[in-house]
Structures are given as C-alpha cells and as structure tokens.
Amino acid sequence: MNGFTRVGASPDAAFTVDVDGTPVPVVPGQTLAAALWAAGITAWRTTRGQGRPRGAFCGIGSCYDCLVVVNGVAGVRACLVRPEAGDVVRTHE
Amino acid sequence: MTEAPDVVVVGAGMVGAACAYYAARAGLAVAVVDRGPVAGGTTGAGEGNLLVSDKEPGPELDLALLSAQLWTRLAAAPARPLASAGPGPDTTFGALAEYEAKGGLVVASDEQRLDALCVFAAAQAAAGVVAVPVRHDELAELEPHLSRDQVGGVHYPQDAQVQPALAAAHLLRLARESGAVVRLGETVTGIERGAGGRVTGVRTDRGRIAAPAVVNAAGTWGAAIAASADVVLPVLPRRGFVLVTAPLPPLIRHKVYAADYVADVASDSADLQTSAVVEGTAAGPVLIGASRERVGFDRTLSVAVLRRLAAQAVALFPRLADVPAMRAYRGFRPYLPDHLPAIGEDPRVPGLFHACGHEGAGIGLAPGTGLLIAQALTGEKTDMDLAPFRPDRFEAGESAAEGAAP
C-alpha cells in the first residue's frame, strides 16, 4: 500500500522530469520537492562552510534552502514549483 | 556566578559585547544584562559594516581607524568552534563571525560626484585612510558586474564586513571565558546611586546587582538608561531597512556603495534618505541598503523604501534585476545630534559610563569603544582623547567644541 491508496487518491498518470540527467517521476499536482522526496532524493545542495547536505526544510517557500535550476532559471524553490513533463532540473553548485 | 561585579554592562549588542570583552580581559568582573537576547537590538538589524571609507576626518574617523586595527587582531584571535558544530580544531573569532577583509568601493555616477568623492578621499588620506582612486576602465577589474554607467570611484582596502549577530555572540562567548557573566531576558529598571550621586548598582525586574560602575551600552535605548540616572543623553532612532536576496553564487566582491551615501549619513534631515549600498555575504544572500529616516520606532514595513533600495541596487548591479528578494528587515540606528557617539564616564554621575550613539557605525566602532571603556574603567590612559565623545556635551549652553574643561 502506498501513500496514494492510503488516502484514496487516484492521480493522473505520472510523467518524468530530468534531474541532473536522471529521470524522476512526477505525479500531477506534486511539487518538485515532493517528487524528489518520493524518489528518495532528500538532499540536493550542500552548505558553503562544511559541505553538509541540504534539501527542502520549511517546505513552504520561506527558507530558500531547496533551491534548484529549472529550465535554466536559477533560484527556484523546489517546494513551490510544480514541474511539467520534460522540465530539465539541475541542482545548484 | 559573579554576585558583586566590578561593572554592569547594560546591553548585549556589539558594543556591550566589546565592552565586556575588553573589561574582562583587563581583569574586571563583568556582568552583562539585556532585556532581550544577544544582538536583539540594532546589532541584529544591520549589515555588519566595518568602514573607514564613509567617515570624514575627525574623531569618528580616528576611532574607526583604531577600531579597524582591533578588528584585525580580534579576527585572528583563536576560538573554539561551537560544540554543536561537532569536534574539531580551534578556529578563529574571525571565521566564526564571518569576518571578511573585503575592502570597500565607492562609486560615482557622474563627473561632478566623482570630483567631490576624490576631494573627500584626499582629505581622508591625509588623516591616515588608504584611499585609491579608480578610473572608469579599472572598475570592472574590481567589480565585474558593476554597471558600466558608473564613471569612476575610490577603493578603500581597509573596509571590512562581519556578520554582526555572530560577532556579538562569539565576542560574548570569549568574554565569558574570561569570567564575564551574561544575564539575558532581564530588564534594567533603574540605576542606583549613593553618596555623592555615585553609582552603586542597577535595579532590574529580577532584583538588584550591586556594582560601582555601570556602562550604558543600550544603543538606541540609551536615552532611557541615562534618564534612569536622571541625566539626558538625547539618543534618537534613525530607521533603516535592509533587503535580502535569495542565496547567490559570488557576485559582488567588495562593499559597494554610491558616493551619495556619505552625505546621507552626515545629514540632519529627518526625511527619508536612501542611497545604494550593496554587498555579498559568506552565506550567499546579497544585502541591499541603505535608508535613513527619523520616524520614531515605527516598525511597519515600508514598501516605498524597499522599492527605492531595490531600484538603486539594480542601477549599480543590473544582474540583480532577476534575483528574488527573500525578505526585508529593519532596525533603528542610535543617533546623537552631532553624529558622534557618547563614550566615557558621565561627569554628572560618577560611575556611569556611556558607550552608545554610534548611528550606523556601531559594529565597526565597537572594539575601539570597548577598549576605551575598559581603559576608562581601570583608570588607564585612554588610547584616544575622549573629550569629543563626552556624554554631557548636549547640556544646554555647553559643548566640547567650545573648549569646556577636560
């Protein structure tokens, strides 16, 4: 049993986005951060000082920790953006 | 736990931390008291400017030059990392406080401003500031993303930047290692005096702390502390906003500001003054200032001011036009009518020392202030003449400039 069936959801078919060259499935309605978590990717940035892993933290667009590059546009908050099929996502330096 | 300290420092901001640090290292038993957290006042609302570039020749510049040397020494002082950072070798105070000796670049948008800037810089150079004129074709080497519209500028290698809240917190940590006690969340409600009007301690909302000396490092709230000893120190708030961008890869190398900034600092106008001040931070966000207005302690957000700050910053660095603004904050600079802080013992109240009123320069001037206060507390000869900073100089009919007795 997965999360969708547990809540009785019936989402439309998933599509994929390219995250650093890897296809990641996205269910319509998911934010990019949610899709990354579902794919087991919980960290996609590192801290400047000691290189510690960072990903989504607040999940509501306030902390700016979850930044990614989407279709060439930098500084996008993964917890807010809803990807579309074929989007190209690159993680930051 | 010190129950009868030699001195109570009121205020756990950057100036209070510096007073505590130098006093504790001079062997005094220090208690720091603040009604809020460390850096809860103006220290937590600034940009961490350590500037000599924006000061005209005079006592404030002299204090800034002394303080800049002390900053360099402090930055190199060994410090243990925080326990929460995990075990590791000693680091330095500078690394913990994100101290960057990045230098300042003041730019002019037309020839008239550039001429005025160069005249100003020449006077500063005569007073000991390193000021290097920069031609239009040399600007890009220093700041590759600076707008080509700027006609020239002056480079000030002695300017530096620090993260002010971290600096205050870590300096207090070092002070505690030298025996200082820090009491947060405790409000000083009065200064107690005894025979001859001499200070005997402070009253707080938790009781009394007996001490022969009190340092008023309450910044923008310094007037109230002075009033609790029945003396006038006319510190007023001068509001400023800072706009913070989302974290960016390195874009801006120096503290960069428009030549108009110096006139704004020196102005007596209560009206809104804004001029572009932009710098990067170690953490990534770019900080955008600077505004000045006298509106009391009005904390409401002013979108009109932020709009001006954003427009001015984009005029200097066009790349900022596409960058998201993450948040804004505001603070209240402690402003005294002659733009000089109050530093030293109050002749009207023996045992009461003031260390406040630094306007927008408190972070940079803190170590110098702290050292001078520690010297005054121990009766040592002070490294600078404190006459221009006399706390009682605002009494009607008296002024240090009129040759009052030392």
Side-chain angles (χ1 to χ4, degrees):
Chain A
M1 174 173 297
N2 63 27
F4 298 118
T5 50
R6 195 172 286 138
V7 300
S10 52
D12 292 341
F15 53 89
T16 63
V17 297
D18 172 345
V19 178
D20 289 336
T22 304
V24 170
V26 181
V27 171
Q30 273 186 324
T31 63
L32 178 59
L36 290 169
W37 280 19
I41 302 168
T42 54
W44 51 88
R45 291 181 68 219
T46 54
T47 61
R48 271 169 202 263
Q50 299 180 351
R52 293 165 155 186
R54 289 288 181 269
F57 176 61
C58 75
I60 57 171
S62 283
C63 76
Y64 285 76
D65 241 16
C66 64
L67 301 179
V68 289
V69 183
V70 179
N71 299 334
V73 177
V76 175
R77 286 163 283 177
C79 69
L80 293 183
V81 70
R82 289 210 183 133
E84 294 175 1
D87 275 352
V88 174
V89 178
R90 293 288 171 264
T91 55
H92 275 214
E93 45 65 81
Chain B
M1 179 77 167
T2 306
E3 299 197 332
D6 298 316
V7 56
V8 172
V9 175
V10 182
M14 192 66 222
V15 173
C19 290
Y21 173 78
Y22 287 104
R25 284 170 61 96
L28 295 175
V30 180
V32 180
V33 185
D34 197 301
R35 64 184 178 178
V38 170
T42 313
T43 295
E47 298 176 20
N49 293 333
L50 313 185
L51 305 183
V52 295
S53 55
D54 63 342
K55 298 173 176 64
E56 62 182 27
E60 196 197 13
L61 178 58
D62 295 338
L63 180 59
L65 287 165
L66 166 65
S67 218
Q69 281 178 24
L70 294 173
W71 265 114
T72 307
R73 257 184 261 163
L74 274 175
R80 283 175 296 109
L82 284 178
S84 58
D90 266 8
T91 176
T92 61
F93 170 76
L96 291 171
E98 295 181 7
Y99 173 84
E100 292 181 80
K102 55 170 54 173
L105 178 65
V106 185
V107 294
S109 51
D110 58 45
E111 292 299 333
Q112 199 181 9
R113 284 183 167 84
L114 183 59
D115 288 342
L117 174 61
C118 289
V119 167
F120 183 69
Q124 292 172 307
V129 174
V130 179
V132 183
V134 180
R135 287 192 324 260
H136 178 259
D137 58 297
E138 297 170 316
L139 285 172
E141 234 180 273
L142 288 169
E143 287 291 346
H145 302 286
L146 183 69
S147 162
R148 298 286 181 265
D149 293 347
Q150 301 300 311
V151 304
V154 177
H155 177 218
Y156 293 89
Q158 293 162 307
D159 280 355
Q161 187 174 325
V162 80
Q163 212 288 1
L166 288 174
H170 284 289
L171 199 55
L172 278 172
R173 226 176 123 223
L174 291 177
R176 292 209 314 274
E177 285 170 12
S178 294
V181 166
V182 180
R183 302 162 65 135
L184 302 175
E186 183 170 356
T187 305
V188 171
T189 54
I191 294 177
E192 297 187 334
R193 287 166 287 161
R198 176 163 277 284
V199 164
T200 55
V202 298
R203 245 181 355 267
T204 79
D205 57 355
R206 295 201 204 151
R208 309 183 53 239
I209 310 173
V214 172
V215 178
N216 175 11
T220 316
W221 297 268
I225 296 298
S228 75
D230 295 317
V231 286
V232 169
L233 184 65
V235 183
L236 287 175
R238 205 168 180 205
R239 185 174 76 174
F241 285 93
V242 177
L243 194 54
V244 183
T245 73
L248 301 172
L251 187 70
I252 298 167
R253 299 176 181 176
H254 304 80
K255 159 148 311 248
V256 180
Y257 61 91
D260 308 346
Y261 178 73
V262 180
D264 285 358
V265 175
S267 163
D268 291 320
S269 172
D271 298 337
L272 173 67
Q273 328 226 265
T274 64
S275 75
V277 179
V278 189
E279 71 259 358
T281 61
V286 167
L287 303 181
I288 295 170
S291 71
R292 286 174 153 76
E293 27 176 6
R294 298 222 314 267
V295 290
F297 283 99
D298 184 355
R299 303 186 69 81
T300 54
L301 190 74
S302 167
V303 177
V305 174
L306 297 183
R307 193 181 298 129
R308 272 167 73 155
L309 295 184
Q312 286 169 170
V314 171
L316 283 191
F317 290 96
R319 285 271 305 263
L320 290 176
D322 293 329
V323 165
M326 191 162 59
R327 61 176 170 267
Y329 54 88
R330 113 294 284 138
F332 301 97
R333 304 176 184 82
Y335 159 84
L336 281 170
D338 59 2
H339 302 276
L340 292 176
I343 304 174
E345 189 166 19
D346 195 323
R348 303 163 293 185
V349 184
L352 174 61
F353 295 73
H354 300 277
C356 57
H358 297 77
E359 219 263 354
I363 309 300
L365 300 179
T369 301
L371 178 67
L372 293 169
I373 289 289
Q375 291 168 337
L377 283 167
T378 55
E380 263 185 73
K381 183 175 190 306
T382 53
D383 277 14
M384 276 183 66
D385 178 15
L386 294 184
F389 307 116
R390 274 180 56 166
D392 62 333
R393 65 191 190 266
F394 304 103
E395 300 279 87
E398 287 176 35
S399 136
E402 287 166 5

